């Protein structure tokens, strides 16, 4: 596939979401009918970090703020 790393990553995410939708799987908070507050997003990120003992990511080490950003994107 041609494109920047970001374009390729976004295309991969779109393909994964399309697959999940094709099997009836929900892919974001809105589809679940929830809209977490910023406080809840930060709590989820902190709990995720605690659950994995700070060992997050293999290609890129994730911080609590990285995880919170991912959760924010899941609410779009």
């Amino acid at each position: 596939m041609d494109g920047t790393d970001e374009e390729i990553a976004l295309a991969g995410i779109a393909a994964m979401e399309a697959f999940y939708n094709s099997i009836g799987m929900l892919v974001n908070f809105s589809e679940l009918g929830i809209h977490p507050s910023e406080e809840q997003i930060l709590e989820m990120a902190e709990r995720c970090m605690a659950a994995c003992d700070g060992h997050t990511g293999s290609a890129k080490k994730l911080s609590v703020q990285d995880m919170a950003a991912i959760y924010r994107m899941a609410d779009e």
Side-chain angles (χ1 to χ4, degrees):
M1 177 174 208
D2 293 327
T4 66
D5 288 347
E6 182 176 358
E7 291 168 337
I8 294 167
L10 291 173
I13 291 167
M16 183 178 66
E17 287 179 349
F19 169 71
Y20 287 161
N21 284 321
S22 76
I23 61 171
M25 187 173 173
L26 305 177
V27 296
N28 60 42
F29 291 140
S30 296
E31 290 178 6
L32 289 168
I34 61 173
H35 301 282
S37 67
E38 182 62 19
E39 182 179 309
Q40 291 169 317
I41 286 173
L42 291 173
E43 182 179 349
M44 288 187 293
E46 289 167 5
R47 285 181 180 219
C48 182
M49 181 65 80
C52 64
D53 291 327
H55 297 61
T56 59
S58 57
K60 178 184 190 266
K61 299 298 180 196
L62 300 176
S63 68
V64 169
Q65 290 305 318
D66 292 328
M67 288 182 238
I70 292 167
Y71 285 130
R72 285 184 202 103
M73 287 184 281
D75 195 31
E76 296 176 350

